[in-house]
Amino acid sequence: MRRLATLATAAACVAAVATVPARADGPLYTRAGASVEQRVNDLLKRMTLAEKIGQMDQIAVARVQGDCEWSGGALNQACLKNVLVDNAAGSVLSGGGMGPAANTPGDWAAMVNAVQKYAVDNSRLHIPVLYGVDAVHGHNNVLGATVFPHQIGLGATWDPATVKAAGASTARSVAATGIDWNFAPVADLARDQRWGRYYETYAEDPLLAGTLAAASVNGIEGADGAKRVAATVKHFGGYSEPSNGHDRVPADVSLRYLQDTLLPSYKQAVQAGADTVMVNSGAVNGVPATSSKYLLTKVLREQWGFKGVTVSDWEDVRALQTRYRIAADYPEAIALAVNAGLDMAMEPYYATAWSEGLKAAVDRGLVTVKRIDQSVSRILALKFRLGLFEHPYVDASKADAAVLGADAALARKAAAESQVLLRNEGNTLPIAASAKKIVVAGSYADDINDQAGGWTIGWQGVPDGVALPGTTVLAGIREAAPAGTEVVRAKTDDEAVAQAADADVTVVVVGEKAAAEGSADSPRPELSAGQQALVKALKATGKPVVTVVIAGRPLVLGDAAGTDALLMSWLPGTEGGHAVADVLFGKVNPSGRLPVSWPKDLGNEPLYYQQLPGTNGGPESSYDALYAFGAGLSYTTYGFDAITADKATVGTGSTVGLRVTVSNTGTRDGDLVVPVYVSRPTSDVLAPDRKLVAFTRVALKAGETRTVRLRVPPGVLAVTPGDIDGSAKQAVERGAYTFTAGQKSVAVTVR
Ligand code: GLC
């Protein structure tokens, strides 16, 4: 009853003030009719320095719940006052979980409304806060929200439309709980299979990752939810290749590699219109990104024209002093970050220390008020653009209906599109309707928590004792199996082998445990010995075996390699069981293609297809993947019939226009990913054997032939010319280029 009463109260309060009336006679900044610039300038000049400093501070909601440490629970009025009034913090986040006492959408909305109301009612100038959350695969902190496939699976769809739709669905759920800032998408690249955040990225390839990140930004920023939601391009920049594969270990990369490979995906996402950018916790070439003027000002602002808000990652300003040791104290650390171009610190613990720290930096002459005004203006402009002054609240009573199970069909479609069929000997798949007995083996077959992965309810995944609603692979198979087909769940490895003897097929589901960030680092990214042994024993029965992999990265298969069929399911989320079953029984024709490279063996990380040529010898030292970037099978067959270029010769600033003719030469309709790669007979600086320069997806009915149009803008071909120092501006090299689709190629000369 207590919870219902709370909800009713919150709902009533919200109903009364769901929108703050635009006052005609109030101060200019309160008038919705005035321009954002006018409102910012008017509000800025009314603010004290302390209030400006507070706007640049983001505090974790745990610091205003319960004991104001880590207990969580009901909001604590004294701590709300300290954070939102005494220190005038401009933003609050639920980092890696941090929900209300009862984890329902309605309770989330009531909590966020209450934080917001406290700020609006009690701050001297009634400035609403930005409330941030990590909704990186659906509104994943909220129990009952639809959990979408993690980004690595969406990467396997090569489908910007699906990624955009997933972003929009997520934003609608986020908005329904009163939250206006989503720390997504990740635009980092998957380059090193050992890295714990590999699954949070879309792909190893800059163009695929950037195109999908841009699609996600468009989905989030353009969603028609209860509130507008700001997207976040993270973690800018160069985060994804720590020198030893462990998260947040410094990266050392050349300027050429940084500019040509690691930064383009952030650029695509930023230029898609993201309102915010979150900074990489790591260091690049000896400088923490959080204090890099090159990244935060020269590249992001001056080269890319970004006008939005940059926010640090968790406690990374303080880390300049405590971890990186480039600042002697907190004020110095703050000054380094702010002067590099940082607008907001995800502090996220100590509001007073931030207020005093930045004030001390100003008093010491380390930071100017002018620089502070620049950041505060960006933060206030974002709040005005999001409509927070007019619509700071949502109707909490509508949250449950808006969030619970929302867009489950979309999540199922996305998860099905993400499935990558890598082996299918003797057309083992799809499982025939005549099958009488199917054995389901492997500990990941009925494990919804590991199927969802990290960043689900809790930072490291679903906490013990929490029951995540969703459909496991086993449940999906049971539901999809034809009438009269027996589905046997083998509880032990021995039982699996025994039951396989008279089964039509055994589906063995293998994988890795849910985790996030450094906890998910894997120096030996391979299938565990026990799982390899199980698959090996099942292969020895001589009966058909289908391996399904539930993991955030390709795992070295070892003895598990070579089963009749292999399906990579990634971390498919709460609809994943249905999606896997849809593919196994042929309801969906698999269309996924690897967005990353699958290593044959350990020890070759980082492994990616754009490996540069060297004078090395022997296959393993070159790009020698078990399954290459772009690999994937279908239940039909396709032909890449022709590729033509609009012009045989173009200028260095021209877009190359291409037409590719493809056909479905099989007996089933299907969706085909059409990638175009470029290769160079010779180049001024080293170039990989092939580089993705354009792609699309096309639906082809059985027997159908289509010609698709693709364009390669000059920015995609540009490289950093010059010597080892890599100090020159990117440019398109003149010379011969070969564009390839399938086995067909066309030559174009750039003059
Ligand atoms: C984490 C992550 C970042 C996330 C933030 C808030 O450490 O690096 O992706 O947005 O903290 O949870």
Side-chain angles (χ1 to χ4, degrees):
M1 277 310 284
R2 182 191 59 74
R3 192 168 66 76
L4 285 178
T6 310
L7 263 185
T9 311
C13 103
V14 164
V17 289
T19 54
V20 177
R23 302 186 341 225
D25 60 343
L28 178 60
Y29 77 91
T30 65
R31 291 184 219 149
S35 73
V36 168
E37 189 180 1
Q38 288 172 321
R39 301 179 78 176
V40 168
N41 293 337
D42 179 59
L43 179 47
L44 197 64
K45 68 173 185 288
R46 298 168 187 271
M47 295 170 76
T48 65
L49 177 58
E51 289 165 338
K52 293 175 182 178
I53 288 172
Q55 283 300 307
M56 297 170 69
D57 183 21
Q58 181 180 68
I59 296 295
V61 71
R63 310 297 286 181
V64 293
Q65 288 175 308
D67 67 2
C68 303
E69 296 280 333
W70 294 109
S71 71
L75 294 175
N76 178 313
Q77 296 303 309
C79 295
L80 281 171
K81 179 180 180 301
N82 171 264
V83 169
L84 298 177
V85 175
D86 304 346
N87 290 289
S91 179
V92 172
L93 81 146
S94 280
M98 287 186 202
N103 191 341
T104 74
D107 288 75
W108 271 89
M111 176 180 79
V112 175
N113 275 341
V115 170
Q116 187 66 282
K117 185 161 173 31
Y118 193 95
V120 169
D121 288 355
N122 298 291
S123 65
R124 185 176 69 87
L125 293 165
H126 311 295
I127 301 174
V129 296
L130 287 165
Y131 200 107
V133 79
D134 298 287
V136 292
H137 60 138
H139 198 358
N140 42 249
N141 295 340
V142 180
L143 190 58
T146 301
V147 178
F148 278 76
H150 263 296
Q151 286 193 196
I152 195 71
L154 294 182
T157 71
W158 293 57
D159 188 353
T162 292
V163 170
K164 178 177 178 181
S169 170
T170 301
R172 288 194 294 272
S173 290
V174 163
T177 58
I179 298 172
D180 38 64
W181 191 1
N182 186 7
F183 301 140
V186 168
D188 307 326
L189 299 186
R191 305 293 281 186
D192 191 324
Q193 289 78 4
R194 298 171 296 179
W195 186 40
R197 306 197 76 168
Y198 193 92
Y199 69 80
E200 295 184 59
T201 74
Y202 286 113
E204 70 181 49
D205 175 86
L207 181 66
L208 180 54
T211 304
L212 298 182
S216 178
V217 166
N218 291 330
I220 295 167
E221 297 270 357
D224 56 351
K227 273 182 154 182
R228 266 212 56 208
V229 176
T232 309
V233 179
K234 72 182 188 180
H235 307 75
F236 181 71
Y239 180 32
S240 49
E241 213 159 335
S243 53
N244 66 5
H246 283 282
D247 184 40
R248 290 174 160 88
V249 162
D252 262 295
V253 291
S254 73
L255 257 292
R256 171 171 291 114
Y257 189 74
L258 188 63
Q259 290 177 163
D260 298 356
T261 300
L262 294 182
L263 293 184
S265 53
Y266 304 103
K267 181 177 182 180
Q268 265 190 281
V270 162
Q271 295 192 334
D275 276 310
T276 73
V277 166
M278 184 184 293
V279 185
N280 162 17
S281 290
V284 180
N285 299 351
V287 176
T290 305
S291 61
S292 167
K293 190 151 193 158
Y294 170 80
L295 284 176
L296 301 186
T297 297
K298 183 162 184 262
V299 171
L300 189 57
R301 304 281 180 189
E302 294 168 10
Q303 290 179 9
W304 297 356
F306 178 62
K307 300 265 185 291
V309 172
T310 57
V311 61
S312 81
D313 200 343
W314 192 270
E315 204 181 4
D316 282 334
V317 174
R318 185 181 302 278
L320 300 178
Q321 172 201 358
T322 60
R323 309 299 290 271
Y324 288 114
R325 305 196 302 273
I326 61 169
D329 59 18
Y330 198 26
E332 269 189 36
I334 293 171
L336 282 174
V338 171
N339 291 333
L342 188 74
D343 297 319
M344 184 184 283
M346 184 186 295
E347 208 287 332
Y349 306 107
Y350 309 109
T352 304
W354 171 263
S355 302
E356 292 169 354
L358 181 45
K359 179 70 170 59
V362 171
D363 294 344
R364 291 185 202 172
L366 299 175
V367 175
T368 65
V369 174
K370 182 171 180 289
R371 172 66 195 89
I372 288 174
D373 285 353
Q374 187 183 47
S375 287
V376 176
S377 298
R378 291 167 180 156
I379 293 164
L380 296 177
L382 176 54
K383 294 182 175 182
F384 286 123
R385 284 201 307 274
L386 292 175
L388 289 179
F389 283 78
E390 285 67 50
H391 308 288
Y393 313 113
V394 289
D395 183 346
S397 70
K398 292 181 179 168
D400 284 359
V403 175
L404 296 175
D407 297 327
L410 172 63
R412 178 170 179 164
K413 173 181 177 286
E417 266 191 35
S418 72
Q419 304 298 307
V420 184
L421 181 61
L422 290 164
R423 261 176 83 85
N424 190 18
E425 300 300 298
N427 292 328
T428 303
L429 293 178
I431 297 173
S434 58
K436 288 292 165 265
K437 177 181 176 181
I438 299 171
V439 176
V440 179
S443 58
Y444 290 86
D446 51 354
D447 183 336
I448 192 69
N449 294 354
D450 290 325
Q451 188 175 302
W455 298 101
T456 307
I457 312 303
W459 176 45
Q460 292 297 318
V462 182
D464 292 344
V466 173
L468 184 75
T471 304
T472 63
V473 173
L474 174 63
I477 290 174
R478 284 197 195 286
E479 191 174 317
T485 300
E486 184 194 11
V487 176
V488 174
R489 169 48 172 164
K491 290 234 178 315
T492 67
D493 293 0
D494 292 345
E495 188 186 344
V497 173
Q499 288 285 0
D502 67 342
D504 293 85
V505 63
T506 295
V507 177
V508 57
V509 186
V510 295
E512 63 179 349
K513 300 305 288 172
E517 300 191 17
S519 307
D521 286 348
S522 177
R524 301 178 59 80
E526 63 182 340
L527 217 44
S528 66
Q531 292 184 94
Q532 288 189 43
L534 168 59
V535 178
K536 185 178 180 182
L538 289 170
K539 280 162 62 178
T541 65
K543 305 289 285 184
V545 177
V546 175
T547 303
V548 175
V549 181
I550 300 282
R553 74 193 102 203
L555 296 170
V556 169
L557 295 172
D559 291 338
T563 51
D564 302 276
L566 172 64
L567 186 68
M568 181 48 156
S569 296
W570 313 102
L571 299 171
T574 47
E575 290 299 313
H578 287 309
V580 171
D582 286 345
V583 170
L584 292 179
F585 290 101
K587 188 175 170 199
V588 167
N589 183 359
S591 60
R593 294 290 182 270
L594 286 184
V596 294
S597 304
W598 197 304
K600 260 182 188 159
D601 210 336
L602 289 171
N604 293 318
E605 305 82 8
L607 179 71
Y608 43 79
Y609 82 97
Q610 290 183 4
Q611 182 170 323
L612 298 179
T615 56
N616 47 306
E620 198 170 5
S621 67
S622 300
Y623 179 61
D624 180 33
L626 180 64
Y627 299 105
F629 174 82
L633 302 175
S634 166
Y635 293 149
T636 187
T637 50
Y638 296 106
F640 283 76
D641 310 324
I643 180 170
T644 60
D646 296 358
K647 293 179 183 167
T649 304
V650 295
T652 54
S654 308
T655 291
V656 175
L658 300 165
R659 283 184 170 77
V660 178
T661 303
V662 291
S663 49
N664 179 340
T665 53
T667 56
R668 280 199 55 152
D669 299 353
D671 286 356
L672 175 64
V673 171
V674 182
V676 174
Y677 295 90
V678 75
S679 54
R680 307 284 320 278
T682 60
S683 58
D684 301 347
V685 297
L686 294 190
D689 291 349
R690 62 181 183 137
K691 175 183 167 188
L692 182 72
V693 290
F695 69 90
T696 186
R697 270 176 73 99
V698 59
L700 289 172
K701 294 203 174 309
E704 183 182 2
T705 293
R706 286 267 292 277
T707 297
V708 292
R709 188 98 175 88
L710 291 155
R711 284 181 174 74
V712 182
V716 172
L717 296 177
V719 294
T720 300
D723 205 336
I724 290 175
D725 61 317
S727 57
K729 276 173 67 69
Q730 286 183 317
V732 178
E733 290 180 355
R734 290 179 169 77
Y737 289 75
T738 302
F739 295 90
T740 300
Q743 301 304 313
K744 303 292 186 201
S745 296
V746 63
V748 173
T749 303
V750 173
R751 288 238 178 284

